[in-house]
Amino acid sequence: MFSAINNGFTRIFDHPDFGKLLLRLTFGILLLFHGAAKIQHGVGWIASMLAAHGLPGFIAYGAWIGEIVAPVMVIIGLMTRPAAFVIAVNMVVATLLVKTGAFWSRTDVGAWALETEALYFFGGVIIMLLGAGKYTLIRNPRLQ
């Protein structure tokens, strides 16, 4: 009985390329909201944090690459794996700058304090490992 239910579900919902597209769109669009905030308010506050750690302030402009350029590339499927890698690295840097002490913390509702950061980091890693799928602007010729 369970096998029949599973097989029926698989026949109806086995669309891995559409799943990859949906993951890319969701992930990229949600991350663009963070990038839009950087466009509206600038990255000066990030440069200040970098300077406090002895790092050059121009690195703050990497937030635009990690939260605007790379998500757009993920959305359209252009160099998806490298773009997803950039997003994952961007999340590591952002977490180390802003929430270093929150690793063992929980929120008032019991969630992990770094839940959002972890979702974006692992989302980037997963997209990097899965690739864009067939619905993309430029396909990898090896996979066609």
Side-chain angles (χ1 to χ4, degrees):
M1 178 174 105
F2 291 117
S3 180
I5 293 170
N6 188 49
N7 289 340
F9 237 80
T10 299
R11 270 193 310 280
I12 295 169
F13 295 109
D14 187 23
H15 302 285
D17 287 313
F18 183 70
K20 290 175 185 178
L21 174 64
L22 189 58
L23 174 63
R24 288 185 6 242
L25 291 174
T26 303
F27 183 78
I29 290 168
L30 290 175
L31 195 51
L32 278 175
F33 284 108
H34 296 267
K38 305 298 184 298
I39 290 173
Q40 290 173 336
H41 305 293
V43 292
W45 62 278
I46 300 171
S48 299
M49 280 193 279
L50 288 165
H53 287 84
L55 297 168
F58 74 86
I59 296 173
Y61 292 98
W64 286 356
I65 295 168
E67 296 179 15
I68 299 166
V69 177
V72 168
M73 292 172 70
V74 165
I75 289 168
I76 64 176
L78 176 64
M79 294 180 56
T80 305
R81 292 177 197 266
F85 175 75
V86 167
I87 291 169
V89 169
N90 184 64
M91 281 312 311
V92 170
V93 172
T95 303
L96 290 174
L97 271 178
V98 180
K99 295 199 172 182
T100 303
F103 190 81
W104 301 109
S105 301
R106 292 171 58 163
T107 66
D108 292 339
V109 295
W112 184 33
L114 297 177
E115 191 172 90
T116 303
E117 291 79 2
L119 281 169
Y120 280 116
F121 171 75
F122 285 110
V125 169
I126 291 165
I127 291 171
M128 182 181 64
L129 294 173
L130 288 175
K134 83 176 173 182
Y135 304 117
T136 178
L137 186 64
I138 298 174
R139 281 201 226 155
N140 184 346
R142 182 181 68 90
L143 300 176
Q144 292 181 0

